[in-house]
Amino acid sequence: MYESIGLGGDIRYKDLGKLNTFDMRSIEITRSHRPADVFLCNLLLNYPDTIKQKWFPLFMEFMKSVAWVAREGQDEDSRNLRWLDEYLANF
């Protein structure tokens, strides 16, 4: 139900006309529709200074660990959040 009005859930179920600029950019960067990927990428796009925080490397390792466990059985690039490494390489 929430997906039909553009809230919550996997973005692929949302009306593309209801996606904001950050969601569209997140899909482009992550090559994923998963809510966790889009949320994390939106966080980085909306708050770029987050990357400069001293605790960010720890946060990134935590996110990768969670992704690894949550994506059991998926390809290694997806499980390792390769998009995050590629995105952070620009900083």
Side-chain angles (χ1 to χ4, degrees):
M1 175 184 153
Y2 289 110
E3 290 89 354
S4 66
I5 58 173
L7 299 173
D10 195 316
I11 284 184
R12 72 179 144 211
Y13 300 118
K14 294 182 182 178
D15 179 354
L16 290 179
K18 294 182 181 177
L19 294 179
N20 64 38
T21 305
F22 290 111
D23 286 341
M24 296 299 286
R25 181 77 177 117
S26 293
I27 292 169
E28 181 184 325
I29 291 169
T30 65
R31 298 176 296 281
S32 170
H33 294 92
R34 291 184 187 94
D37 289 331
V38 173
F39 171 79
L40 177 57
C41 194
N42 272 333
L43 175 69
L44 297 175
L45 291 171
N46 281 305
Y47 305 100
D49 288 340
T50 301
I51 296 169
K52 298 174 186 169
Q53 299 295 320
K54 64 180 180 181
W55 49 263
F56 184 76
L58 179 63
F59 172 72
M60 188 176 79
E61 290 306 313
F62 172 76
M63 291 302 295
K64 286 184 176 186
S65 297
V66 170
W68 184 260
V69 172
R71 296 169 184 192
E72 179 98 26
Q74 295 181 12
D75 65 272
E76 192 169 328
D77 285 353
S78 175
R79 291 177 72 188
N80 286 330
L81 290 179
R82 185 171 305 269
W83 70 263
L84 182 57
D85 290 333
E86 292 169 359
Y87 181 82
L88 295 174
N90 296 319
F91 290 93

